[in-house]
Amino acid sequence: MPKRRRLLWYLYPSYLLIILLSLVSTAWFASDWLYDVYVEKMISDLSARASLVGTCLARDPSPDQRPEIDAIVKKLGASTATRFTIVLPSGEVFADSEVDPSILPSHAERPEIIAALKGETARSVRRSYTVKTDMLYVAVLVKRNEEVVAVARAAIPVSDLTEILRPVLLNIALAGLLIAAFAGLASLLVSRPLIRTIREMKEGAQRFAAGDLFYRMDGGSYEETGALAEAMNRMAERFHVRLAAVTSQRDELEAVLRGMVEAVLVVDEHETIVRLNRSAETLFRVDAKAVRGRRLLEAIRNNDLRRFIRKVLDSETPIEESLTLPGEPELLLQAKGSFMKDGSGRPTGAVVVLNDMTRLRALEKIRKDFVANVSHELKTPVTSIKGFLETLNEGAIEDPENARRFLDIVIKQADRLGMIIEDLLSLSRIEQEAEKGSISLEPGSLAQVFEAVSKTCRDRAVEKEISLEWNCDADLIAMINPTLLEQALVNLIDNAVKYSEPGKSVTMSAELVDGEIVILVRDQGFGIPREHLNRVFERFYRLDKGRSREVGGTGLGLAIVKHIVNAHNGKILVESVVGRGSTFSIRLPAI
Ligand code: ADP
């Protein structure tokens, strides 16, 4: 941008220059005119003086009168500071106030003399041959009885004229200077309010530019600046409204993007990252601010993604593909990409929406595994039942002793089948109800639940010579579904009894610890090796299938417990030492 001068320094000197120019030219013309007027006046004065001197010639200028007339002329010349010369029509100088006329050459060729003799205005400004200075000459005819007898000439040095005019011109110049100073001051005073208004408007415009759109400009008292300020204020108001609309649209878009579970990534046509939402930040483990404006490959080193985006940028139609994102764990992404263009159809980039399918795939796998597990679990007793029934059918039924044994096995397997189905149904019911949110929780006494659990499990414990004890404050209350919580605790006690040697003890307790209700089920059984601790809550997970089956386990008991605890908004943990026993702890929120 070229360097700009302040308006004052642009306006003010030009004002001053104009004032000075007009003053100088006025003074110039005035002094010129004054000089002319003065010269005219001087000429008429000199012409009068010459005429007066001419009257000295009472008679014809004759040589004998010459000394007398010359003396008069010299006297008159001295008293009026004028050079007088009387020249005869022949050009001979008859008398002269400055020098001796006899030594003067003929004046017949002097322009004023020639003009006077011709009857014209006889004036001349020229250098005197005699006195060697610039002189103003005026010559008049001296007539007697209508007859020209001589030419009387009066002259003054030109320097006298300028000498007389000098103070006048000096005064004019002084007055001019004073006027110029006054006009300069006045123009400064006049231009200052305008300049101040303009400066204020400039500051206002700078505030608009800095984003202060609530500022209002004052256009001062001038019509033009007032209109300009009004227009600027209107513009700021409109701009504010537009900006507010754009900001709210942007905020809406941000909110939508932020709220999306899917990762959204926007790149321009050069594969530079333009935008990415929070889910994308989490997915790619990057900071949106840090990667915005960077090339895709620099920010997210994933060739699959890059190749996909390139494909989207080169394609006119949306593209969908599965991508893998290496890492721990490796993620499986479902990517959908669309190409973006501006109003004129020019490509501007691509928007890619990525869905993390890893969990979905894992769930799918769990479902498949579950179906396979269920089939396997059911198949074993069914095969066994079928086998024994066929054996019986093939003749074993005739052997009463074996037949009874076989039938006992068939009944046992059928019971097992029933138990598995029972547990599966129970699990799916709890799952469904929890999903629907239809499991009702109400404040209930834990002591009452313990009482019921101990009643249910007592026989089995006694049968295995295991002591069962419980301990809980009678007034300890929690938000529970008593039936389900009882089922969960029965499962835990059942396991404790199943996986303990006879003679051991099992305890059940509940207390309030740090704002949580902690229910503990402790046994002195075989314990669970550390590597299995995380998995015992999975469906059909058993440490030792044979033993589990032997003691009547289905592998679903702990999965049911976990679902019930979840439905109570609680957590279940297990600690165990092999050979020493296990402790299952359920933590429920206190009321
Ligand atoms: P199961 O019907 O086989 O008992 P669960 O889901 O109840 O199935 O338990 C899963 C596995 O966890 C059991 O097979 C068993 O190996 C182990 N387990 C559960 N509770 C205990 C316990 N109190 N002590 C030792 N092992 C246990």
Side-chain angles (χ1 to χ4, degrees):
M1 206 192 289
K3 178 137 175 59
R4 289 175 171 148
R5 275 185 298 160
R6 283 179 65 184
L7 189 61
L8 183 70
W9 299 127
Y10 182 75
L11 281 182
Y12 191 58
S14 37
Y15 279 2
L16 268 184
L17 198 72
I18 293 166
I19 292 166
L20 278 173
L21 271 176
S22 21
L23 276 170
V24 166
S25 51
T26 312
W28 180 276
F29 284 119
S31 60
D32 220 37
W33 172 78
L34 209 66
Y35 186 82
D36 287 351
V37 167
Y38 187 71
V39 167
E40 277 313 313
K41 168 85 181 53
M42 207 60 221
I43 286 167
S44 67
D45 201 23
L46 286 177
S47 143
R49 286 184 211 176
S51 299
L52 273 175
V53 169
T55 53
C56 305
L57 300 172
R59 297 181 298 274
D60 285 339
S62 50
D64 52 332
Q65 288 177 329
R66 196 173 185 167
E68 190 190 335
I69 289 173
D70 189 54
I72 294 171
V73 166
K74 280 196 166 56
K75 210 166 168 187
L76 284 174
S79 60
T80 58
T82 310
R83 182 182 169 200
F84 292 117
T85 316
I86 292 174
V87 182
L88 295 179
S90 61
E92 182 190 341
V93 178
F94 185 71
D96 191 280
S97 59
E98 302 279 315
V99 286
D100 181 2
S102 59
I103 59 160
L104 286 172
S106 168
H107 275 31
E109 296 305 316
R110 300 291 197 268
E112 65 280 1
I113 305 294
I114 296 168
L117 287 172
K118 278 190 195 155
E120 291 168 6
T121 322
R123 65 179 69 169
S124 157
V125 176
R126 60 177 175 78
R127 199 166 175 76
S128 163
Y129 304 115
T130 319
V131 289
K132 310 285 184 222
T133 47
D134 287 341
M135 303 285 283
L136 169 66
Y137 295 96
V138 176
V140 294
L141 285 176
V142 181
K143 287 183 181 170
R144 172 91 20 104
N145 303 329
E146 291 307 312
E147 191 193 330
V148 175
V149 289
V151 173
R153 187 181 75 169
I156 55 164
V158 170
S159 59
D160 281 8
L161 282 177
T162 46
E163 211 48 50
I164 290 165
L165 275 175
R166 182 166 295 147
V168 179
L169 292 177
L170 210 72
N171 276 345
I172 289 178
L174 247 151
L177 271 176
L178 269 175
I179 292 170
F182 177 75
L185 197 71
S187 66
L188 185 67
L189 290 178
V190 168
S191 52
R192 261 177 57 175
L194 172 66
I195 285 167
R196 193 186 311 126
T197 306
I198 292 175
R199 193 185 311 132
E200 279 167 12
M201 290 180 75
K202 180 192 86 178
E203 282 160 14
Q206 280 169 342
R207 286 178 73 162
F208 285 158
D212 183 4
L213 296 175
F214 289 107
Y215 177 75
R216 286 295 168 261
M217 260 187 204
D218 172 24
S221 48
Y222 308 96
E223 196 185 314
E224 290 81 355
T225 50
L228 180 62
E230 225 170 82
M232 295 281 280
N233 288 342
R234 251 198 325 268
M235 185 198 73
E237 204 176 308
R238 285 217 195 118
F239 189 56
H240 173 69
V241 172
R242 289 250 175 96
L243 200 67
V246 171
T247 311
S248 97
Q249 273 176 4
R250 192 201 57 197
D251 290 351
E252 267 172 39
L253 182 68
E254 288 282 340
V256 170
L257 286 176
R258 210 177 311 126
M260 277 175 79
V261 183
E262 294 85 358
V264 179
L265 175 68
V266 183
V267 295
D268 68 9
E269 71 272 34
H270 308 297
E271 297 176 23
T272 303
I273 296 175
V274 176
R275 185 186 277 271
L276 96 177
N277 71 349
R278 201 175 285 170
S279 300
E281 282 184 298
T282 320
L283 187 68
F284 297 119
R285 296 197 187 105
V286 291
D287 176 31
K289 276 192 207 117
V291 297
R292 196 171 293 163
R294 286 176 63 192
R295 297 295 292 265
L296 182 73
L297 258 192
E298 278 172 36
I300 305 165
R301 290 203 179 111
N302 186 306
N303 276 320
D304 274 5
L305 181 66
R306 200 237 152 163
R307 192 188 35 75
F308 176 72
I309 286 180
R310 199 58 262 162
K311 221 158 137 187
V312 173
L313 284 170
D314 294 338
S315 158
E316 293 272 307
T317 51
I319 295 182
E320 201 171 332
E321 243 181 50
S322 290
L323 303 176
T324 48
L325 196 65
E328 201 40 61
E330 186 182 75
L331 298 182
L332 183 80
L333 305 174
Q334 183 66 19
K336 288 182 192 165
S338 300
F339 157 90
M340 298 189 299
K341 44 187 168 187
D342 63 10
S344 57
R346 215 172 49 85
T348 54
V351 55
V352 175
V353 179
L354 298 144
N355 237 322
D356 185 359
M357 306 296 281
T358 322
R359 216 174 89 81
L360 216 67
R361 284 286 158 90
L363 286 175
E364 212 171 292
K365 188 174 179 300
I366 288 173
R367 194 184 57 78
K368 277 187 192 155
D369 289 354
F370 179 64
V371 172
N373 282 336
V374 169
S375 316
H376 180 73
E377 292 296 326
L378 294 178
K379 207 177 156 207
T380 320
V382 167
T383 314
S384 163
I385 289 169
K386 196 172 170 245
F388 282 108
L389 287 179
E390 275 170 0
T391 317
L392 284 169
N393 197 29
E394 280 159 13
I397 200 157
E398 307 300 335
D399 175 2
E401 205 176 304
N402 271 333
R404 180 153 294 277
R405 201 167 55 84
F406 289 166
L407 279 176
D408 275 350
I409 294 171
V410 167
I411 290 169
K412 218 172 158 192
Q413 292 298 338
D415 279 349
R416 184 169 164 68
L417 212 57
M419 264 160 51
I420 294 174
I421 290 167
E422 185 81 10
D423 275 357
L424 278 173
L425 284 176
S426 180
L427 194 63
S428 99
R429 199 173 47 242
I430 295 164
E431 226 169 22
Q432 273 176 17
E433 282 178 8
E435 251 169 46
K436 274 193 277 174
S438 60
I439 293 177
S440 65
L441 301 178
E442 57 198 45
S445 157
L446 288 175
Q448 274 178 21
V449 176
F450 280 11
E451 177 78 59
V453 172
S454 116
K455 217 183 250 175
T456 313
C457 300
R458 194 180 302 140
D459 288 352
R460 265 171 271 171
V462 169
E463 201 182 298
K464 216 177 160 189
E465 294 167 28
I466 284 173
S467 72
L468 174 61
E469 276 160 31
W470 64 269
N471 172 29
C472 173
D473 273 353
D475 52 3
L476 189 59
I477 283 177
M479 287 300 288
I480 52 169
N481 181 306
T483 319
L484 286 180
L485 187 62
E486 188 185 325
Q487 189 183 352
L489 291 172
V490 165
N491 280 2
L492 290 178
I493 300 286
D494 224 20
N495 280 349
V497 172
K498 277 193 299 193
Y499 302 111
S500 295
E501 300 273 9
K504 302 286 180 184
S505 76
V506 171
T507 54
M508 181 168 56
S509 68
E511 59 181 337
L512 194 66
V513 181
D514 296 334
E516 271 185 330
I517 289 169
V518 181
I519 301 173
L520 299 176
V521 175
R522 230 187 275 259
D523 66 51
Q524 299 167 334
F526 312 128
I528 306 165
R530 181 183 283 268
E531 65 271 22
H532 296 286
L533 283 177
N534 274 340
R535 304 200 59 190
V536 288
F537 295 103
E538 287 175 18
R539 290 158 211 226
F540 295 118
Y541 191 81
R542 280 163 299 188
L543 273 63
D544 177 345
K545 277 198 181 163
R547 182 190 274 174
S548 166
R549 208 167 291 140
E550 206 175 285
V551 292
T554 59
L556 292 169
L558 287 181
I560 292 173
V561 174
K562 185 162 180 145
H563 274 79
I564 292 174
V565 172
N566 284 347
H568 279 79
N569 306 316
K571 271 188 216 142
I572 181 158
L573 291 171
V574 57
E575 284 169 27
S576 186
V577 179
V578 175
R580 284 272 206 60
S582 315
T583 303
F584 285 84
S585 57
I586 297 173
R587 286 164 188 271
L588 300 182
I591 295 180

